[in-house]
Amino acid sequence: MAQDHLAASSPLPEHARLSALAGEWDGEEMVFPSRWTAGGPATSRTVARMDLNGFYLIQDSVQMRDGKQVFATHGIFTYDRDDRTYKLFWYDSLGYTPPSPASGGWVGNTLTLVRGSLRGNARHVYEIINEDSYSLKIQFSPDAEGWADVLTGVYRRIH
């Protein structure tokens, strides 16, 4: 038991991989019509940092439409060494409390995380384009099979 505790004291390379999303980002987004919003173009500002001894990426985003803040998110990403998957704990200004984190992994430069709730299923797909840009697609499905886009965006690092 003591060895497990000692082994948990340092982040793994899997934790460090999340640093690709760290930094300050400006985003151009398309919000698709849904039961939450009418849809349309939006911009966003995202600030993300590796924190808590390198185990977590903590991300805050604010979305603007027509010059007004319309949506905000707080995401906490980590790698779960027990089940060997990435986790995303997602909170947003809609106020729903997720029953569990989204879970998934990397395939190449794409991190896909899926979570379910009584309202349906959400899938977040982050693709690292290069060190200064990434894309995000958030999708919804009632049955985790047929996915519909909720948001797509491309984010560029602010230097």
Side-chain angles (χ1 to χ4, degrees), residues 47-62:
V47 176
R49 70 187 188 283
M50 294 300 294
D51 208 338
L52 303 172
N53 294 330
F55 286 103
Y56 299 92
L57 173 78
I58 300 173
Q59 180 190 72
D60 292 294
S61 296
V62 173

Side-chain angles (χ1 to χ4, degrees), residues 16 32 40-41 43 46 48 57-60 67 71 81 87 92 99 102-103 133 145-146 152 154:
F32 292 84
T43 61
T46 299
L57 173 78
I58 300 173
Q59 180 190 72
D60 292 294
F71 190 62
R81 66 180 78 228
K87 303 292 185 192
D92 62 41
S103 186
S133 61
E145 291 188 18
T152 59
V154 175

Side-chain angles (χ1 to χ4, degrees), residues 20 25 128-133 157 159:
W25 308 86
I128 305 301
I129 298 167
N130 58 48
E131 68 181 29
D132 289 325
S133 61
R157 187 180 301 280
H159 289 284

Side-chain angles (χ1 to χ4, degrees), residues 20-39:
L21 296 168
E24 293 187 41
W25 308 86
D26 277 332
E28 297 289 328
E29 299 175 332
M30 178 54 64
V31 179
F32 292 84
S34 70
R35 61 184 173 190
W36 302 286
T37 184

Side-chain angles (χ1 to χ4, degrees), residues 5-89:
H5 177 70
L6 292 175
S9 64
S10 298
L12 298 171
E14 288 86 353
H15 293 102
R17 188 159 189 199
L18 291 167
S19 67
L21 296 168
E24 293 187 41
W25 308 86
D26 277 332
E28 297 289 328
E29 299 175 332
M30 178 54 64
V31 179
F32 292 84
S34 70
R35 61 184 173 190
W36 302 286
T37 184
T43 61
S44 69
R45 171 68 55 100
T46 299
V47 176
R49 70 187 188 283
M50 294 300 294
D51 208 338
L52 303 172
N53 294 330
F55 286 103
Y56 299 92
L57 173 78
I58 300 173
Q59 180 190 72
D60 292 294
S61 296
V62 173
Q63 184 184 78
M64 306 289 288
R65 293 175 76 185
D66 300 320
K68 296 179 184 169
Q69 179 179 324
V70 295
F71 190 62
T73 66
H74 181 74
I76 303 170
F77 299 72
T78 192
Y79 177 74
D80 186 330
R81 66 180 78 228
D82 291 333
D83 72 6
R84 297 183 177 155
T85 61
Y86 286 86
K87 303 292 185 192
L88 168 58
F89 298 83

Side-chain angles (χ1 to χ4, degrees), residues 65-151:
R65 293 175 76 185
D66 300 320
K68 296 179 184 169
Q69 179 179 324
V70 295
F71 190 62
T73 66
H74 181 74
I76 303 170
F77 299 72
T78 192
Y79 177 74
D80 186 330
R81 66 180 78 228
D82 291 333
D83 72 6
R84 297 183 177 155
T85 61
Y86 286 86
K87 303 292 185 192
L88 168 58
F89 298 83
W90 179 268
Y91 305 93
D92 62 41
S93 57
L94 293 177
Y96 296 113
T97 301
S100 61
S103 186
W106 290 92
V107 174
N109 289 330
T110 302
L111 174 61
T112 302
L113 301 150
V114 179
R115 79 172 175 279
S117 75
L118 295 176
R119 292 178 312 282
N121 301 279
R123 179 166 66 183
H124 296 233
V125 181
Y126 296 83
E127 181 181 359
I128 305 301
I129 298 167
N130 58 48
E131 68 181 29
D132 289 325
S133 61
Y134 71 90
S135 67
L136 169 62
K137 184 185 304 184
I138 299 177
Q139 299 174 308
F140 176 79
S141 172
D143 58 9
E145 291 188 18
W147 294 95
D149 289 345
V150 173
L151 176 142

